[in-house]
Amino acid sequence: MELSKEQLLRYSRQITLPECGIDGQKKLLSSKVMVFGAGGLGSPVLMYLSSSGVGCIGIMDFDTVELSNLARQIIHSLSSVGQLKTESAKAYINKINPDVEVILYNQLCSADELPDLIKNYDIVLDCTDSFESKFIVSDACVRAQKPMVHAAVSHFKGQLMTYVPGKGPCYRCVFGEPPAPGSVKTPKELGVLGPVVGIIGALEATECIKYLTGAGDLLTGQLLTVDALSMTIKKMKLPPLNEECPVCSKRSSIAVKKQS
């Protein structure tokens, strides 16, 4: 793959980075990323991945844009209200970067279908806003042996971790089972500040780009937390693989698909 003059100019600031360079940019342009959720977290993730030149982005979301979304879901606009979030996000991406192929999945997460759906992608990004969806996406990544970047935001706080098969605990290792319905307040009930979602989403996109280019150290086996009220950022080491994890441990009853 040879970069065109327009691409060399468009991505010049990234290419200048020694951790990226032309080889790194070529890796981005040939990469495929699956993003679950085109809302608060998905917005900055999709904006930065597309502007950075990720060659193919899959987007799964079943929801439509509402007026109450616009304070934090910055990929959408007033004219998008009533549209599918996937379609609205694709329209934005198409406007800023013709290099990007966008594949849309206007549906709910299905635990049985996801491992096959994500097998052709290089990495998965969890930008969902429900515990149920996060566990479904994570379990599918373990079964398909696909890396995943997890992120979550509520109130003024956010968190981030990266799962790479064989190199650290999975989401279920760390968080166990989904909480019982109604036992934990949702971001809708607690509220959420738009810029905090933007910060966490930008960090999630950064982790993805680092994985694709091989730059720096990933948050494997670590959890990054951000508290914007106190402006505190912490990185904690996570426990090793849970030997009793029903998904990723050797005792798992779920068949793990080998990478082709």
Side-chain angles (χ1 to χ4, degrees), residues 30-44:
S30 62
S31 295
K32 299 182 70 175
V33 178
M34 182 67 207
V35 178
F36 288 94
L41 287 168
S43 288

Side-chain angles (χ1 to χ4, degrees), residues 161-164 167-169 218-223 236-239:
M161 65 172 277
T162 299
Y163 162 75
V164 177
K167 294 187 178 181
L218 298 172
L219 288 170
T220 50
Q222 301 178 90
L223 183 70
M236 64 186 74
K237 186 176 181 180
L238 294 171

Side-chain angles (χ1 to χ4, degrees), residues 104-145:
L104 304 183
Y105 303 90
N106 301 315
Q107 61 193 73
L108 284 166
C109 297
S110 168
D112 293 331
E113 296 174 352
L114 284 194
D116 284 333
L117 184 149
I118 64 177
K119 67 181 180 181
N120 294 320
Y121 289 89
D122 298 305
I123 187 170
V124 172
L125 272 64
D126 165 30
C127 300
T128 62
D129 61 0
S130 75
F131 286 108
E132 181 182 8
S133 295
K134 291 183 180 301
F135 277 92
I136 289 174
V137 171
S138 174
D139 291 351
C141 288
V142 175
R143 292 170 62 188
Q145 291 289 277

Side-chain angles (χ1 to χ4, degrees), residues 5-197:
K5 290 182 179 180
E6 181 180 332
Q7 289 174 325
L8 288 170
L9 180 59
R10 176 187 286 269
Y11 307 118
S12 60
R13 298 301 187 273
Q14 291 173 186
I15 292 172
T16 300
L17 294 168
E19 295 84 357
C20 182
I22 287 184
D23 288 342
Q25 190 60 54
K26 289 179 179 179
K27 289 178 181 178
L28 291 178
L29 288 165
S30 62
S31 295
K32 299 182 70 175
V33 178
M34 182 67 207
V35 178
F36 288 94
L41 287 168
S43 288
V45 161
L46 292 167
M47 294 166 78
Y48 277 118
L49 292 185
S50 58
S51 62
S52 297
V54 169
C56 178
I57 301 176
I59 310 172
M60 179 177 285
D61 200 308
F62 68 94
D63 209 355
T64 56
V65 180
E66 300 178 1
L67 187 61
S68 61
N69 299 150
L70 301 184
R72 65 195 181 282
Q73 300 183 17
I74 54 176
I75 202 169
H76 310 300
S77 64
L78 192 58
S79 63
S80 304
V81 173
Q83 293 181 13
L84 288 168
K85 289 184 179 179
T86 52
E87 295 286 355
S88 174
K90 183 178 187 296
Y92 178 93
I93 293 171
N94 288 343
K95 287 180 180 178
I96 65 170
N97 197 343
D99 287 339
V100 184
E101 177 188 3
V102 183
I103 302 174
L104 304 183
Y105 303 90
N106 301 315
Q107 61 193 73
L108 284 166
C109 297
S110 168
D112 293 331
E113 296 174 352
L114 284 194
D116 284 333
L117 184 149
I118 64 177
K119 67 181 180 181
N120 294 320
Y121 289 89
D122 298 305
I123 187 170
V124 172
L125 272 64
D126 165 30
C127 300
T128 62
D129 61 0
S130 75
F131 286 108
E132 181 182 8
S133 295
K134 291 183 180 301
F135 277 92
I136 289 174
V137 171
S138 174
D139 291 351
C141 288
V142 175
R143 292 170 62 188
Q145 291 289 277
K146 289 293 179 180
M148 180 192 84
V149 183
H150 150 77
V153 178
S154 185
H155 199 236
F156 285 81
K157 298 180 179 180
Q159 65 184 34
L160 191 77
M161 65 172 277
T162 299
Y163 162 75
V164 177
K167 294 187 178 181
C170 72
Y171 182 83
R172 192 178 286 272
C173 278
V174 178
F175 298 103
E177 296 293 326
S183 63
V184 178
K185 289 186 177 181
T186 65
K188 184 176 181 179
E189 294 170 314
L190 289 171
V192 61
L193 186 67
V196 179
V197 181

